Amino acid sequence: MCELYCKQDTLALRGKHIGPSCKVFFAADPIKIMRAQGQYMFDEKGKRYLDCINNVAHVGHCHREVVKAATKQMELLNTNSRFLHDNIVEYAKRLTATLPQTLSVCYFTNSGSEANDLALRLARQFRGHQDVITLDHAYHGHLSSLIEISPYKFQKGKDVKKEFVHVAPSPDTYRGKYREDHEDAATAYAEEVKKIIEVAHSSGRKIAAFIAESMQSCGGQIIPPAGYFQKVAEHVRKAGGVFIADEVQVGFGRVGRHFWSFQMYGEDFIPDIVTMGKPMGNGHPMSCVVTTKEIAEAFSSSGMEYFNTYGGNPVSCAVGLAVLDVIENENLQENAVRVGNYFTKLLDEQKAKHPLIGDIRGIGLFIGIDLVKDHEKRTPATAEAQHIIYEMKEKGVLLSADGPHRNVLKIKPPMCFTEEDAKFMVDHLDGILTVLEEVMETKNDSVLSENTVCRTKVPKKVHVELPNHSATESRENHSTKRNGVCSDQHVLLSKRFKT
């Protein structure tokens, strides 16, 4: 067992031995997490945090059935897929049964990045084309091949867009080029893709693939307008390319009514390749690419064998099967519908109350809160979003912000999230927004300093009851919370909070 350090020593050692590009959440006051269960995480002092962002722990942190399946198989065998084993066959059958019939061939990998990298190889081998169309603000992984098609990354770094990469506008009907008042935003955004194809062809280039998350996550919790993907797929296939649906962050029943997010756009939309990852192993590293027999045979005909040492190993497949069982046995898709609808209803009520909330969008347990400083101009409230995240952390709620302006609070919790959890989160958000909006109204130049916060009269604290939990968790949640907005750690945030 590793040595236990105090939080500051852990932070110092991390800074010394871990690459500086790997940043921690809440850098001004990071959390040291010691254990987790269900939708809750606990720090070294036993303080409990409601996890609203961990879509990796899909069926709940440390789910006993998933842990049991992994342990049982590890005690028997773990080896590569060159040997026959029932787990990989059974898992492939179960997984493809959730997909349209044409998507029937599985390639098992270890991460979403590996899956998307392989998807590009499949697409390029299919007809020998090379170019890829991606969406603005998209993120598809950390491998070099994926940074190249991820504007979310290459637009922030020193890399320049490669000539074989084409960036289409994100189909964002709230903040994008074509908004909710457009007569046919889906067609308008799809026409942008068609124009890209025409320009590429005029330069002698050929399209291999269009790749998109079924719902953009890092791009700001964007849900494309109905009909968009169908129209894009038509344009891309006519150009000899394939459609890759990236379900790494949004698959496995998160939208509730469908197992895969792409399915909510209608039965007439079927991707050529689907990639999946994060929630697949509930924290165990595993991923998969599923495609058609035609594309798989074209890939095989290249003469280059595809083999992945750990992909599809018996332990990973046992874990994957357990996750599928839990989703079904605990009715987690139904839970995503019920809790997601309730959550969205509560947030819509907050939108009517708080001018900082510009838009609430989401389906199931995939929700975004777009914060704005001006409703008409839709000016992103970036600094305010960061302030809210830190304040929510003090209340025992973990949130993060994303989108091109980092002003969208993203909510994608473990699927065991309850209505009580949703109310707990929203009640605290209400209290923090109330204080923040009073400060902003008082300070018309929109500079929130430590002194400004402390001089502002704070409304009577909202009484919030914790959701029910076990006696053990009650005993562990004994640490004193710093409720004051002028706590020592908050000073760091206040000094840089300029809107």
Side-chain angles (χ1 to χ4, degrees):
M1 189 166 179
C2 64
E3 183 177 351
L4 295 179
Y5 303 99
C6 71
K7 185 168 80 170
Q8 293 307 315
D9 286 345
T10 301
L11 186 61
L13 287 167
R14 179 186 174 99
K16 181 179 180 181
H17 298 294
I18 307 298
S21 61
C22 181
K23 298 178 181 178
V24 297
F25 282 133
F26 313 107
D29 183 23
I31 306 171
K32 184 175 182 179
I33 294 296
M34 301 300 292
R35 72 176 192 88
Q37 191 69 46
Q39 62 271 49
Y40 305 111
M41 305 180 83
F42 300 87
D43 68 13
E44 79 280 10
K45 295 181 180 179
K47 179 176 177 177
R48 191 185 76 168
Y49 295 89
L50 178 63
D51 183 0
C52 296
I53 54 176
N54 219 315
N55 61 331
V56 177
H58 192 63
V59 299
H61 291 278
C62 304
H63 194 286
R64 62 185 180 277
E65 294 302 322
V66 178
V67 173
K68 186 192 302 182
T71 304
K72 182 178 179 181
Q73 184 58 51
M74 287 180 74
E75 289 175 342
L76 291 173
L77 171 72
N78 199 21
T79 187
N80 63 59
S81 57
R82 290 193 187 276
F83 298 96
L84 294 178
H85 197 277
D86 289 345
N87 283 7
I88 189 171
V89 176
E90 181 63 21
Y91 188 51
K93 283 175 57 182
R94 291 276 301 276
L95 205 56
T96 54
T98 66
L99 290 158
Q101 191 172 1
T102 54
L103 294 166
S104 59
V105 183
C106 298
Y107 295 87
F108 290 106
T109 48
N110 305 292
S111 70
S113 291
E114 277 195 11
N116 281 332
D117 177 74
L118 178 57
L120 291 181
R121 289 177 60 189
L122 289 165
R124 285 169 168 155
Q125 177 63 31
F126 185 47
R127 289 200 173 95
H129 300 178
Q130 291 299 312
D131 287 26
V132 177
I133 302 174
T134 187
L135 293 178
D136 203 6
H137 315 307
Y139 173 66
H140 295 290
H142 63 80
L143 298 181
S144 296
S145 62
L146 303 173
I147 295 296
E148 291 173 347
I149 64 164
S150 297
Y152 180 82
K153 287 291 185 182
F154 72 67
Q155 288 177 349
K156 295 178 182 178
K158 296 180 180 179
D159 293 340
V160 295
K161 185 176 75 65
K162 301 293 191 292
E163 62 180 0
F164 57 81
V165 176
H166 311 276
V167 180
S170 172
D172 179 357
T173 57
Y174 178 71
R175 193 181 296 284
K177 185 174 182 180
Y178 307 110
R179 300 187 174 183
E180 70 276 5
D181 57 353
H182 192 279
E183 61 180 2
D184 189 355
T187 297
Y189 276 119
E191 283 295 310
E192 295 286 337
V193 175
K194 184 180 179 182
K195 291 174 188 174
I196 286 172
I197 294 171
E198 291 170 348
V199 171
H201 284 180
S202 69
S203 302
R205 308 200 66 87
K206 296 181 178 180
I207 304 299
F210 173 92
I211 185 170
E213 289 182 282
S214 301
M215 300 185 293
Q216 265 193 298
S217 182
C218 292
Q221 309 293 90
I222 305 301
I223 301 171
Y228 170 71
F229 281 149
Q230 284 92 332
K231 291 178 173 64
V232 167
E234 182 181 347
H235 297 322
V236 171
R237 287 167 181 156
K238 188 176 180 181
V242 301
F243 193 110
I244 303 172
D246 181 343
E247 292 268 339
V248 170
Q249 299 212 55
V250 298
F252 289 87
R254 179 157 294 278
V255 295
R257 298 192 187 282
H258 302 280
F259 201 81
W260 304 104
S261 294
F262 75 80
Q263 292 170 325
M264 68 184 179
Y265 299 109
E267 293 182 0
D268 59 336
F269 171 60
I270 300 176
D272 302 293
I273 302 173
V274 176
T275 60
M276 52 195 76
K278 291 182 188 298
M280 193 171 182
N282 208 54
H284 179 89
M286 60 186 300
S287 59
C288 186
V289 180
V290 185
T291 190
T292 66
K293 184 178 179 181
E294 184 184 11
I295 292 174
E297 287 177 346
F299 186 60
S300 178
S301 69
S302 70
M304 183 187 295
E305 180 188 22
Y306 178 78
F307 171 67
N308 189 307
T309 302
Y310 298 109
N313 70 74
V315 172
S316 293
C317 290
V319 167
L321 285 165
V323 170
L324 293 180
D325 287 341
V326 173
I327 292 171
E328 182 179 347
N329 295 338
E330 298 186 5
N331 299 314
L332 293 184
Q333 283 185 250
E334 292 86 346
N335 188 66
V337 172
R338 184 180 64 258
V339 177
N341 288 344
Y342 178 69
F343 212 155
T344 303
K345 173 179 173 291
L346 293 180
L347 290 170
D348 282 336
E349 291 171 357
Q350 295 302 311
K351 178 186 173 185
K353 178 179 179 182
H354 295 289
L356 268 172
I357 299 179
D359 189 37
I360 302 294
R361 50 183 177 263
I363 298 175
L365 287 175
F366 180 91
I367 302 170
I369 306 172
D370 198 313
L371 300 176
V372 299
K373 290 187 284 188
D374 183 295
H375 269 253
E376 185 176 344
K377 297 179 180 178
R378 301 185 180 182
T379 310
T382 301
E384 290 83 352
Q386 299 307 310
H387 174 78
I388 290 167
I389 288 168
Y390 273 79
E391 286 299 297
M392 289 293 279
K393 184 201 72 165
E394 295 302 310
K395 305 295 185 183
V397 179
L398 301 182
L399 282 174
S400 65
D402 226 322
H405 307 287
R406 303 196 75 81
N407 69 304
V408 180
L409 301 181
K410 58 181 182 180
I411 300 168
K412 42 185 182 178
M415 294 275 282
C416 52
F417 212 75
T418 68
E419 291 183 353
E420 290 78 17
D421 295 323
K423 189 172 190 310
F424 177 70
M425 178 269 176
V426 173
D427 283 348
H428 277 310
L429 180 64
D430 179 25
I432 291 166
L433 286 171
T434 299
V435 174
L436 182 55
E437 287 166 352
E438 277 203 7
V439 170
M440 294 174 70
E441 187 176 350
T442 302
K443 193 74 173 178
N444 290 328
D445 63 358
S446 297
V447 176
L448 181 60
S449 66
E450 178 189 358
N451 291 335
T452 303
V453 179
C454 295
R455 286 197 305 268
T456 303
K457 181 180 178 182
V458 179
K460 185 177 180 181
K461 187 170 71 175
V462 179
H463 175 68
V464 181
E465 291 185 1
L466 284 168
N468 292 330
H469 48 82
S470 68
T472 301
E473 289 174 348
S474 297
R475 288 194 298 272
E476 288 178 321
N477 195 27
H478 63 273
S479 60
T480 303
K481 296 181 180 179
R482 293 172 294 170
N483 292 319
V485 290
C486 297
S487 66
D488 292 341
Q489 302 295 345
H490 186 78
V491 172
L492 292 170
L493 180 65
S494 299
K495 287 180 178 177
R496 70 169 189 271
F497 190 100
K498 294 188 177 182
T499 59

